[in-house]
């Protein structure tokens, strides 16, 4: 313990926080008839526990490929992903299957993401069946809790997806993603298929859930106003590479990259999400 003026100084216990998930030098290449195409080119970033990171860029910039690598849906050509300081195992391994409880995704299209032949009760119960994990409070109580957490009630359980609006379906998708109490949630453009007012409600719900449950988000979007509202930091992608990374408000107000400035100029402001 250090000594200051003859007295013992208090120890500094503020050790650096370990990221929940970290990407190191990710590269993804695909063989084409005319050579090799690099879709993701040396992408690195880290997300701290409880943080929301926005990954922004136009369609085709490599955002979805990065997400698929992070969730081990595909293997990278080079680089690695660490979860709680440990490299992710290969996609088909039993260790990765167990980790999938901690890492979930909310898909872009709320219509295609739900099986139209299954009742909502079956859809929400499926994660427990796949992972053979019965919640301690019992399945019916857990399903009701999930629906309440996203603003729906138990009357939804016996209905089919076609009986709900787009916003309600996305709430059900969010409830399913939360079923196994994950710590890391990927939000893959979760409001791009919804109208502005309904999308604003879903974004506010996601913000409330993060605060209540202590979730860590990777929010994929092409909308800088949405990212500024929901996220702490932002990573801007262009043609497979990160061109800007930093505090969300700082990047939105004083972007360094000309591409970031173009993204901001191209996105209309959203009155419902004007203030953080």
């Amino acid at each position: 313990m250090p000594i200051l003026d003859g007295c013992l100084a208090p120890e500094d216990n503020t050790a650096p926080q370990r990221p929940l998930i970290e990407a190191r030098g990710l590269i993804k290449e695909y063989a084409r008839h005319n050579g090799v195409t690099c879709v993701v080119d040396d992408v690195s970033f880290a997300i701290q526990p409880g943080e929301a990171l926005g990954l922004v860029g136009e369609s085709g910039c490599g955002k979805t490929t990065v997400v698929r690598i992070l969730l081990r849906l595909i293997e990278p050509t080079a680089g690695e992903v660490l979860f709680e300081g440990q490299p992710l195992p290969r996609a088909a391994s039993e260790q990765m299957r167990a980790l999938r409880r901690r890492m979930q995704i909310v898909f872009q299209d709320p219509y295609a993401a739900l099986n139209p032949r299954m009742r909502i009760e079956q859809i929400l119960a499926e994660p427990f069946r796949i992972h053979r994990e019965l919640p301690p409070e019992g399945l019916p109580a857990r399903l009701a809790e999930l629906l309440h957490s996203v603003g729906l009630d138990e009357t939804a359980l016996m209905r089919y997806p076609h009986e709900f609006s787009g916003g309600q379906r996305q709430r059900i998708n969010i409830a399913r993603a939360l079923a196994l109490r994950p710590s890391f949630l990927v939000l893959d453009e979760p409001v791009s298929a919804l109208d502005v007012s309904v999308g604003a409600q879903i974004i506010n719900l996601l913000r409330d859930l993060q605060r209540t449950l202590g979730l860590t988000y990777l929010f994929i979007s092409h909308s800088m106003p949405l990212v500024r509202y929901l996220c702490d930091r932002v990573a801007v992608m262009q043609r497979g590479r990160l061109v800007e990374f930093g505090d969300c408000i700082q990047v939105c107000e004083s972007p360094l990259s000309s591409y970031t400035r173009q993204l901001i100029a191209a996105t209309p402001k959203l009155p419902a999400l004007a203030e953080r």
Side-chain angles (χ1 to χ4, degrees):
M1 182 176 293
I3 300 177
L4 297 178
D5 296 330
C7 300
L8 290 177
E11 291 185 354
D12 183 6
N13 294 320
T14 57
Q17 190 177 31
R18 183 175 64 184
L20 180 70
I21 191 160
E22 185 176 1
R24 294 182 178 176
L26 296 183
I27 295 174
K28 184 61 181 179
E29 297 175 340
Y30 290 100
R32 310 293 188 192
H33 67 280
N34 57 349
V36 174
T37 299
C38 186
V39 180
V40 174
D41 187 4
D42 195 21
V43 168
S44 299
F45 58 83
I47 310 177
Q48 300 297 330
E51 181 183 30
L53 175 68
L55 185 58
V56 187
E58 62 190 334
S59 297
C61 72
K63 303 188 303 293
T64 299
T65 302
V66 169
V67 166
R68 294 175 71 190
I69 294 173
L70 287 181
L71 297 177
R72 259 312 180 263
L73 300 177
I74 59 174
E75 297 288 340
T77 305
E80 63 177 350
V81 178
L82 283 72
F83 189 81
E84 294 183 334
Q86 299 298 317
L88 286 187
R90 296 190 66 83
S93 68
E94 283 300 316
Q95 296 93 331
M96 191 63 229
R97 178 185 173 90
L99 269 178
R100 294 199 189 282
R101 304 179 187 185
R102 309 279 310 281
M103 310 163 68
Q104 291 292 316
I105 183 169
V106 176
F107 294 99
Q108 177 177 354
D109 187 348
Y111 297 91
L114 299 177
N115 187 332
R117 297 184 179 183
M118 296 175 69
R119 297 182 188 272
I120 304 308
E121 180 182 32
Q122 297 170 297
I123 290 171
L124 295 183
E126 194 171 28
F128 301 102
R129 179 183 60 81
I130 291 173
H131 289 276
R132 300 175 184 177
E133 182 177 307
L134 186 66
E137 63 269 41
L139 190 57
R142 179 61 178 152
L143 299 188
E145 178 189 357
L146 285 170
L147 287 173
H148 290 156
S149 72
V150 297
L152 299 174
D153 60 42
E154 303 93 303
T155 59
L157 288 172
M158 300 311 295
R159 296 160 65 187
Y160 288 93
H162 73 268
E163 299 179 68
F164 296 91
S165 67
Q168 289 172 325
R169 293 187 195 203
Q170 197 61 299
R171 289 173 186 269
I172 294 167
N173 282 319
I174 294 168
R176 177 176 58 184
L178 296 175
L180 298 175
R181 296 187 170 98
S183 52
F184 178 57
L185 208 59
V186 173
L187 308 169
D188 187 7
E189 300 197 43
V191 299
S192 62
L194 307 174
D195 65 47
V196 173
S197 61
V198 174
Q201 294 172 18
I202 296 298
I203 292 295
N204 285 322
L205 170 65
L206 290 169
R207 191 178 179 188
D208 291 342
L209 287 170
Q210 185 192 21
R211 291 171 172 173
T212 303
L213 303 176
L215 296 167
T216 302
Y217 286 162
L218 176 61
F219 179 60
I220 313 301
S221 182
H222 55 263
S223 169
M224 291 298 286
L226 284 181
V227 169
R228 174 172 179 164
Y229 179 77
L230 184 65
C231 299
D232 303 294
R233 293 187 297 160
V234 59
V236 182
M237 281 193 74
Q238 181 185 25
R239 297 175 184 172
R241 297 183 66 91
L242 292 185
V243 297
E244 190 155 358
F245 189 95
D247 176 80
C248 217
I249 295 178
Q250 183 177 348
V251 170
C252 287
E253 293 184 351
S254 303
L256 300 177
S257 166
S258 60
Y259 178 71
T260 306
R261 291 193 290 270
Q262 292 171 20
L263 281 179
I264 294 171
T267 310
K269 293 184 178 181
L270 303 175
L273 302 175
E275 299 294 336
R276 287 191 69 176

